[in-house]
Amino acid sequence: MSFTLWYHPYSGYGQKAAVAAYELGLPFDLRVVDHTDAALMAEFARLSPFGKMPVLVDGEGRVFNESSIVIEWMDRHAGGGRLIPADPDAALETRLIDRIVDTYVGGPMNRLVFNRLGRAGTPNPVAMEQDSAELARAWDWLEHRLSDGREWGAGQTFTLADCAAAPLITYARRLVPFGDRVHLRAWHQRLMARPSFRRALDDAAPYGDLMPAPPAED
């Protein structure tokens, strides 16, 4: 079944969904959210009342919001068991890593970006320090979790967890470096080499560098 994916190529959560779609090889159409197009934004607002990306619209016109739910839909329609493991324990680990990345990497990252861009009003240095500390705690937690020898975020296969991590930790490490966390660094290197993520990065390239932080050097 084909579907339409609403997203922006530079959005971390949009890239998360795009990586999944490329991994699964599903036929789909992309709709780029463009704030300069009033008619398109009115349609997007109808599909996404909270104004969040990505949004998936299936062939029957049903609407699915939130990146993890969107990817679960994709995995199911690709036959199941690829990005959400069939084994219950493996599926729980996959969802756990996905939620940690979305909440404790994506959350503070977005707040830091909003502060740096002034979208939250006058930048709040105390809040920025707290969010930077939360990101560092996320790096420590992931470093410990990855120390069991797993190749990918939730085990030995590429899953939803990796779809989430590829864009979000790539952006977030520009705000809080990995430092000497060797397992986190090695995982990220594997993510950067994954063809599906490389394709998502190519999609984002025409939009330049919208991140208010220099490229990571660690």
Side-chain angles (χ1 to χ4, degrees), residues 54-115:
V55 177
L56 184 150
V57 182
D58 72 10
E60 299 176 6
R62 295 180 299 174
V63 178
F64 298 88
N65 302 93
E66 295 297 320
S67 58
S68 300
I69 302 302
V70 164
I71 292 173
E72 291 224 24
W73 184 98
M74 292 183 197
D75 191 64
R76 181 184 303 173
H77 287 273
R82 291 178 59 183
L83 297 179
I84 312 294
D87 177 78
D89 289 338
L92 279 178
E93 181 70 9
T94 295
R95 291 188 175 97
L96 172 62
I97 301 299
D98 171 67
R99 299 319 307 141
I100 292 295
V101 170
D102 271 9
T103 305
Y104 300 109
V105 176
M109 177 194 75
N110 282 330
R111 293 191 296 271
L112 283 165
V113 168
F114 281 11
N115 259 297

Side-chain angles (χ1 to χ4, degrees), residues 31-48:
R31 296 291 301 276
V32 175
V33 175
D34 179 357
H35 291 273
T36 67
D37 186 329
L40 182 142
M41 291 306 296
E43 184 179 359
F44 176 64
R46 178 178 60 83
L47 299 171
S48 181

